[in-house]
Amino acid sequence: EVQLQASGGGLVQPGGSLRLSCAASGFTPDDYALAWFRQAPGKEREGVSCISRHDGYTYYADSVKGRFTISSDKDKNTVTLQMNNLKREDTAVYYCAADGTKWGNDYSEFTKICRGYYDMDYWGKGTLVTVSS
């Protein structure tokens, strides 16, 4: 069965860092866009970051650009989100997800996937990040 298991959330002070990890199993990650979404209380789900090992494409929401870094370890079958300089507004449940929609060599189409334009094929259960002093 396909599984995505997110971990690494917790409580951190503003300006601190956390590293989220998502372990994938049951499918071939190289054929998928691997994404992080988040949902804060009272807000819509937001596509945070996305990566493709197939062509090296990455995507970052404007709200996290320059602070978060996504990476993927093919050998370990994981996708990681390094979050630095965390802000209170980063508080949310973070979910990893994967989608098999083909984008070819079209980066614009890739970003649509990362923003949730298509239904994601697979979702992890999420991990809570709380940024508070």
Side-chain angles (χ1 to χ4, degrees), residues 50-119:
C50 208
I51 190 168
S52 167
R53 290 195 58 84
H54 175 72
D55 50 24
Y57 286 167
T58 58
Y59 163 82
Y60 297 94
D62 289 342
S63 57
V64 307
K65 194 172 298 182
R67 299 187 297 118
F68 292 8
T69 303
I70 192 169
S71 61
S72 180
D73 188 326
K74 184 177 181 179
D75 186 54
K76 296 181 179 180
N77 214 30
T78 58
V79 58
T80 298
L81 187 68
Q82 178 66 46
M83 306 186 297
N84 297 327
N85 303 122
L86 283 160
K87 304 175 181 179
R88 289 180 177 85
E89 53 263 40
D90 294 318
T91 296
V93 177
Y94 285 71
Y95 301 89
C96 60
D99 188 77
T101 302
K102 295 181 179 180
W103 61 88
N105 297 318
D106 190 335
Y107 182 72
S108 178
E109 186 68 18
F110 175 76
T111 67
K112 289 171 64 177
I113 298 170
C114 300
R115 297 192 305 271
Y117 181 83
Y118 304 102
D119 292 337

